[in-house]
């Protein structure tokens, strides 16, 4: 028995209170700042659940996004123009090298070059993120949208 369950039915007292107040609350306004790829797949599931509970969800996406669609039935999108992005060539190059390494198709010297290449890719990805953040803060339209919406919560990927 928990310290919160002092009644004769052994039901924690916080459950009826949560149900009562949970039903009285309106859905919140949520801004989602996701990442691409598998990161988006997980966030998408969470967004659908939040929308299903009555929350209003806006998703910040880049104009070159592969996974995050501009039009959705369960979120509104805020699209940011970006000058750089992870195009297919960038991703294919990075993935093909990793796959060759995992299959044992490269020697130790190629592994060293792959490691240096990976550092270069991480640097490029950081450049892209910095450019994206700069575009957000330099966009008067987006900043005004943020101020007008007065979001209750911001969700982002911890990466």
């Amino acid at each position: 028995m928990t310290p919160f369950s002092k009644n004769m039915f052994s039901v924690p007292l916080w459950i009826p209170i949560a149900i009562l107040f949970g039903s009285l609350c309106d859905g919140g306004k949520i801004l989602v700042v996701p990442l691409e790829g598998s990161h988006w797949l997980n966030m998408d599931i969470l967004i659908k659940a939040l929308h299903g509970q009555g929350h209003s969800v806006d998703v910040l996406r880049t104009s070159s996004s592969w996974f995050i669609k501009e039009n959705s039935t369960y979120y509104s999108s805020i699209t940011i123009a970006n000058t750089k992005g992870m195009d297919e060539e960038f991703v294919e190059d990075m993935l093909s090298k990793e796959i060759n390494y995992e299959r044992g198709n490269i020697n130790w010297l190629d592994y060293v070059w792959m490691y240096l290449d990976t550092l270069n890719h991480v640097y490029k990805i950081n450049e892209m993120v910095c450019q994206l953040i700069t575009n957000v803060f330099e966009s008067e339209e987006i900043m005004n949208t943020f101020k007008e919406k007065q979001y209750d919560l911001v969700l982002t990927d911890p990466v």
Side-chain angles (χ1 to χ4, degrees):
M1 201 147 89
T2 68
F4 298 108
S5 57
K6 299 293 184 199
N7 63 21
M8 62 187 210
F9 299 110
S10 293
V11 175
L13 292 177
W14 62 268
I15 291 178
I17 293 170
I19 291 170
L20 174 67
F21 286 107
S23 63
L24 297 175
C25 294
D26 291 331
K29 292 178 276 185
I30 301 170
L31 175 64
V32 179
V33 185
L35 293 177
E36 288 285 336
S38 62
H39 299 270
W40 168 249
L41 299 177
N42 292 322
M43 186 67 80
D44 190 41
I45 293 166
L46 182 60
I47 292 169
K48 285 177 185 173
L50 289 167
H51 174 76
Q53 294 295 314
H55 298 283
S56 170
V57 181
D58 291 345
V59 176
L60 196 63
R61 64 179 292 278
T62 63
S63 56
S64 62
S65 178
W66 292 3
F67 290 84
I68 307 164
K69 305 300 176 209
E70 188 165 10
N71 299 312
S72 172
T73 57
Y74 53 93
Y75 66 83
S76 300
S77 64
I78 300 171
T79 303
I80 305 163
N82 59 332
T83 54
K84 294 180 180 182
M86 286 193 269
D87 57 11
E88 278 187 70
E89 185 181 328
F90 178 83
V91 174
E92 280 180 15
D93 178 52
M94 194 167 60
L95 288 178
S96 68
K97 288 176 181 172
E98 182 63 30
I99 289 169
N100 283 332
Y101 167 71
E102 291 296 327
R103 290 181 178 165
N105 295 340
I106 63 173
N107 62 38
W108 70 270
L109 186 56
D110 288 336
Y111 174 79
V112 171
W113 284 112
M114 186 191 81
Y115 178 77
L116 294 174
D117 242 8
T118 301
L119 290 177
N120 187 38
H121 281 108
V122 168
Y123 177 78
K124 286 180 182 178
I125 290 169
N126 283 325
E127 273 187 327
M128 290 176 213
V129 170
C130 288
Q131 182 62 53
L132 180 68
I133 292 168
T134 301
N135 290 349
V136 168
F137 284 110
E138 288 181 350
S139 170
E140 225 175 279
E141 180 183 345
I142 291 173
M143 294 307 291
N144 285 335
T145 299
F146 290 168
K147 288 176 188 172
E148 289 169 11
K149 293 275 185 147
Q150 295 186 351
Y151 292 104
D152 300 310
L153 177 69
V154 177
L155 291 178
T156 190
D157 195 290
V159 142

